[in-house]
Amino acid sequence: AAYLLTHGHMDHIHALADVCDAAPAPVAMHGDDLAWSFTEENILPPYYTVAPRRPKGTIRAITGGQEYTDGGLHYKVLHTPGHAPGCVCFYFETSKVLFTGDTLFAGSVGRTDLPGGSSTVLTRSLASLARLPDDTVIYPGHGPDTTMAREKRTNYFMQQ
């Protein structure tokens, strides 16, 4: 129904245009990352040496606080900058599911040393996520799933 992008770093969007060519669907990404993610700014040597190809069609520029229904699934966009300026999480409240991308991992968080990253800003984003119910299941962009209760209890970065 749609490709929901938590942020624009190369490792999350490198194959997006190819996937969209094979299975067209709307793409949604925060405008703060849309501004640079398909440009030379998003090259990350030695892993990625060319900018990712922008998918055909319009990309829906999303912002925090918006709610959408795609493919019958209702979700809310939570703007969680810090790892990248346009980081977002997708919260499916009815299911108590949160897709965090690189904002929050099981036991850790996304790095803040890439352009646009800020540990101070990420700390504020994590504080906003901590207000979600403890039984929220978290699916990060890397690593195993976890729960909000587990992260509040064991993740150093959630205790700041």
Side-chain angles (χ1 to χ4, degrees), residues 71-83:
L73 299 173
H74 186 77
Y75 58 93
K76 185 173 186 175
V77 178
L78 308 177
H79 187 206
T80 56
H83 174 65

Side-chain angles (χ1 to χ4, degrees), residues 5 11 28 58 63 83 86 96 103 107 139 142 150 155 157:
L5 304 176
D11 60 322
T58 303
T63 59
H83 174 65
K96 293 188 181 174
T103 298
Y139 293 100
H142 305 275
R150 183 179 304 133
N155 189 326
F157 298 98

Side-chain angles (χ1 to χ4, degrees), residues 3 14-27 53-57:
Y3 297 108
H14 186 273
L16 178 64
D18 292 335
V19 171
C20 288
D21 288 346
V27 173
R53 183 170 58 92
R54 186 183 176 110
K56 297 173 186 144

Side-chain angles (χ1 to χ4, degrees), residues 2-153:
Y3 297 108
L4 306 179
L5 304 176
T6 58
H7 65 293
H9 283 150
M10 179 66 84
D11 60 322
H12 287 258
I13 68 164
H14 186 273
L16 178 64
D18 292 335
V19 171
C20 288
D21 288 346
V27 173
M29 172 186 258
H30 194 279
D32 287 350
D33 279 11
L34 184 55
W36 58 266
S37 60
F38 299 102
T39 72
E40 301 293 316
E41 288 181 60
N42 204 11
I43 293 174
L44 188 61
Y47 309 106
Y48 302 99
T49 57
V50 296
R53 183 170 58 92
R54 186 183 176 110
K56 297 173 186 144
T58 303
I59 298 178
R60 181 193 305 161
I62 57 176
T63 59
Q66 292 177 313
E67 296 188 31
Y68 293 96
T69 301
D70 287 315
L73 299 173
H74 186 77
Y75 58 93
K76 185 173 186 175
V77 178
L78 308 177
H79 187 206
T80 56
H83 174 65
C87 276
V88 296
C89 295
F90 297 103
Y91 182 48
F92 294 79
E93 187 172 10
T94 304
S95 309
K96 293 188 181 174
V97 167
L98 180 69
F99 290 89
T100 60
D102 288 4
T103 298
L104 177 63
F105 302 135
S108 192
V109 296
R111 58 191 286 185
T112 58
D113 61 332
L114 297 172
S118 166
S119 56
T120 301
V121 173
L122 181 58
T123 298
R124 285 194 297 266
S125 293
L126 295 172
S128 71
L129 291 181
R131 292 192 285 270
L132 294 175
D134 284 350
D135 59 347
T136 300
V137 178
I138 297 168
Y139 293 100
H142 305 275
D145 61 308
T146 184
T147 64
M148 188 58 68
R150 183 179 304 133
E151 294 314 301
K152 285 190 223 178
R153 189 176 63 252

